[in-house]
Amino acid sequence: MRPHALVAAGLALLHAGPGAAWLPPVRRLLPSLAGEGDPGHVALTFDDGPDPRSTPLFLDELDRLGCRATFFLLGEMLERHPEIGRDIARAGHEVAVHGWRHGNALVARPGRVAAETGRAARLVAAVTGARPRWYRPPYGVLSAEALLAARWHGLRPVLWTAWGRDWTERATPESVLRTLEPGLRGGATLLLHDCDHTSAPGSWRSALGALAGVVGRCRAAGLRVGPLGAHGVGRPRTARTGGVPGAARPHRPPVPASFYPRPEG
Ligand SMILES: [Zn+2]
């Protein structure tokens, strides 16, 4: 291979390599990227909103369950519905960045993902008054540019350990719960959607209908359910989980008490 071809191949790998992070074996090797956290806690996350047709129903249900979550917002949705974004933050949930539009980072023209990530992060902060800490790329597909942009804007990329396949036409609350069930364990990060912006019309009803069951099963197993900010992603593991404290990242600041307005969490 000639030198310029080698360079091109290297650049292609650099660009596409992080996209493989959604593959289960790669996620097992990168647990904090997958959202692996506190073994006594389950992180609940929603993507693709905010949407005035569905997000308020999720806020009501989470309030009824006494549960806080992380909402990965799309810039284009938040620009259209800033009041719903404010409602999310006002209800005590965590707001995070899902990009500006729901595009695949690997097919975006150079510079676009970086510009849009910054634009979305600034809008989330301006609308909600909360500085976002997390970034989840659409489809969970990361490029080198997306990783660099996230880092530049102080966002930590985080994917998920379990999903409910709630975006399909045939999804029901029962199918979502059944799909998530094997993944309902301490340390898990769950992916659901609070709107159908990029899913089958009305599919959000399956996620909404599954919420009580998901939260109930976690609590019955003695697990707390809450946002990523309370999940301890990347925190040193305790002796109980067999981690090596010296090899892990520094502690994050304590979890804000506002994430747990009720004793149950
Ligand atoms: Zn999405």
Side-chain angles (χ1 to χ4, degrees), residues 47-48 98 102 138-139 193 198:
D47 285 9
D48 293 4
H98 195 39
H102 211 275
Y139 310 109
H193 298 78
T198 57

PDB file of all heavy atoms in Angstrom, residues 47-48 98 102 138-139 193 198, ligand 1:
ATOM      1  N   ASP A  47     -34.354   9.421  24.889  1.00  0.00           N
ATOM      2  CA  ASP A  47     -33.759  10.117  23.748  1.00  0.00           C
ATOM      3  C   ASP A  47     -34.826  10.745  22.848  1.00  0.00           C
ATOM      4  O   ASP A  47     -35.973  10.313  22.836  1.00  0.00           O
ATOM      5  CB  ASP A  47     -32.964   9.122  22.887  1.00  0.00           C
ATOM      6  CG  ASP A  47     -31.645   8.717  23.521  1.00  0.00           C
ATOM      7  OD1 ASP A  47     -31.419   9.060  24.695  1.00  0.00           O
ATOM      8  OD2 ASP A  47     -30.861   8.033  22.846  1.00  0.00           O
ATOM      9  N   ASP A  48     -34.396  11.713  22.061  1.00  0.00           N
ATOM     10  CA  ASP A  48     -35.084  12.240  20.866  1.00  0.00           C
ATOM     11  C   ASP A  48     -36.050  13.407  21.105  1.00  0.00           C
ATOM     12  O   ASP A  48     -36.538  13.992  20.155  1.00  0.00           O
ATOM     13  CB  ASP A  48     -35.830  11.157  20.078  1.00  0.00           C
ATOM     14  CG  ASP A  48     -34.892  10.147  19.435  1.00  0.00           C
ATOM     15  OD1 ASP A  48     -33.675  10.237  19.651  1.00  0.00           O
ATOM     16  OD2 ASP A  48     -35.387   9.253  18.729  1.00  0.00           O
ATOM     17  N   HIS A  98     -28.230  15.176  22.560  1.00  0.00           N
ATOM     18  CA  HIS A  98     -28.350  14.061  21.604  1.00  0.00           C
ATOM     19  C   HIS A  98     -27.995  14.534  20.193  1.00  0.00           C
ATOM     20  O   HIS A  98     -28.292  13.852  19.221  1.00  0.00           O
ATOM     21  CB  HIS A  98     -29.799  13.553  21.660  1.00  0.00           C
ATOM     22  CG  HIS A  98     -30.007  12.199  21.023  1.00  0.00           C
ATOM     23  ND1 HIS A  98     -29.107  11.161  21.124  1.00  0.00           N
ATOM     24  CD2 HIS A  98     -31.042  11.699  20.290  1.00  0.00           C
ATOM     25  CE1 HIS A  98     -29.579  10.102  20.481  1.00  0.00           C
ATOM     26  NE2 HIS A  98     -30.741  10.402  19.960  1.00  0.00           N
ATOM     27  N   HIS A 102     -31.139  14.231  13.977  1.00  0.00           N
ATOM     28  CA  HIS A 102     -30.880  12.813  14.217  1.00  0.00           C
ATOM     29  C   HIS A 102     -30.134  12.191  13.049  1.00  0.00           C
ATOM     30  O   HIS A 102     -30.672  11.367  12.313  1.00  0.00           O
ATOM     31  CB  HIS A 102     -32.211  12.086  14.471  1.00  0.00           C
ATOM     32  CG  HIS A 102     -32.076  10.929  15.401  1.00  0.00           C
ATOM     33  ND1 HIS A 102     -31.700   9.675  14.976  1.00  0.00           N
ATOM     34  CD2 HIS A 102     -32.234  10.844  16.739  1.00  0.00           C
ATOM     35  CE1 HIS A 102     -31.658   8.879  16.016  1.00  0.00           C
ATOM     36  NE2 HIS A 102     -31.974   9.552  17.110  1.00  0.00           N
ATOM     37  N   PRO A 138     -26.844  10.240  18.012  1.00  0.00           N
ATOM     38  CA  PRO A 138     -27.935   9.499  17.382  1.00  0.00           C
ATOM     39  C   PRO A 138     -27.457   8.112  16.941  1.00  0.00           C
ATOM     40  O   PRO A 138     -26.337   7.971  16.449  1.00  0.00           O
ATOM     41  CB  PRO A 138     -28.303  10.373  16.182  1.00  0.00           C
ATOM     42  CG  PRO A 138     -27.943  11.764  16.625  1.00  0.00           C
ATOM     43  CD  PRO A 138     -26.701  11.592  17.453  1.00  0.00           C
ATOM     44  N   TYR A 139     -28.292   7.120  17.141  1.00  0.00           N
ATOM     45  CA  TYR A 139     -27.998   5.712  16.822  1.00  0.00           C
ATOM     46  C   TYR A 139     -26.840   5.150  17.655  1.00  0.00           C
ATOM     47  O   TYR A 139     -26.384   4.040  17.416  1.00  0.00           O
ATOM     48  CB  TYR A 139     -27.674   5.523  15.326  1.00  0.00           C
ATOM     49  CG  TYR A 139     -28.686   6.153  14.416  1.00  0.00           C
ATOM     50  CD1 TYR A 139     -28.372   7.291  13.686  1.00  0.00           C
ATOM     51  CD2 TYR A 139     -29.978   5.628  14.307  1.00  0.00           C
ATOM     52  CE1 TYR A 139     -29.315   7.902  12.860  1.00  0.00           C
ATOM     53  CE2 TYR A 139     -30.913   6.235  13.499  1.00  0.00           C
ATOM     54  CZ  TYR A 139     -30.572   7.364  12.773  1.00  0.00           C
ATOM     55  OH  TYR A 139     -31.506   7.967  11.960  1.00  0.00           O
ATOM     56  N   HIS A 193     -37.386   6.066  24.666  1.00  0.00           N
ATOM     57  CA  HIS A 193     -37.634   7.292  23.897  1.00  0.00           C
ATOM     58  C   HIS A 193     -38.916   7.944  24.387  1.00  0.00           C
ATOM     59  O   HIS A 193     -39.931   7.263  24.552  1.00  0.00           O
ATOM     60  CB  HIS A 193     -37.730   6.961  22.405  1.00  0.00           C
ATOM     61  CG  HIS A 193     -36.462   6.384  21.846  1.00  0.00           C
ATOM     62  ND1 HIS A 193     -36.099   5.069  22.043  1.00  0.00           N
ATOM     63  CD2 HIS A 193     -35.459   6.960  21.136  1.00  0.00           C
ATOM     64  CE1 HIS A 193     -34.927   4.858  21.463  1.00  0.00           C
ATOM     65  NE2 HIS A 193     -34.504   5.987  20.914  1.00  0.00           N
ATOM     66  N   THR A 198     -38.184  10.074  15.621  1.00  0.00           N
ATOM     67  CA  THR A 198     -37.440   9.235  14.673  1.00  0.00           C
ATOM     68  C   THR A 198     -37.896   7.776  14.765  1.00  0.00           C
ATOM     69  O   THR A 198     -37.155   6.874  14.384  1.00  0.00           O
ATOM     70  CB  THR A 198     -35.924   9.312  14.944  1.00  0.00           C
ATOM     71  OG1 THR A 198     -35.700   8.927  16.301  1.00  0.00           O
ATOM     72  CG2 THR A 198     -35.399  10.717  14.736  1.00  0.00           C
TER      73      THR A 198
HETATM   74 ZN    ZN B   1     -32.092   9.005  19.054  1.00  0.00          ZN
END
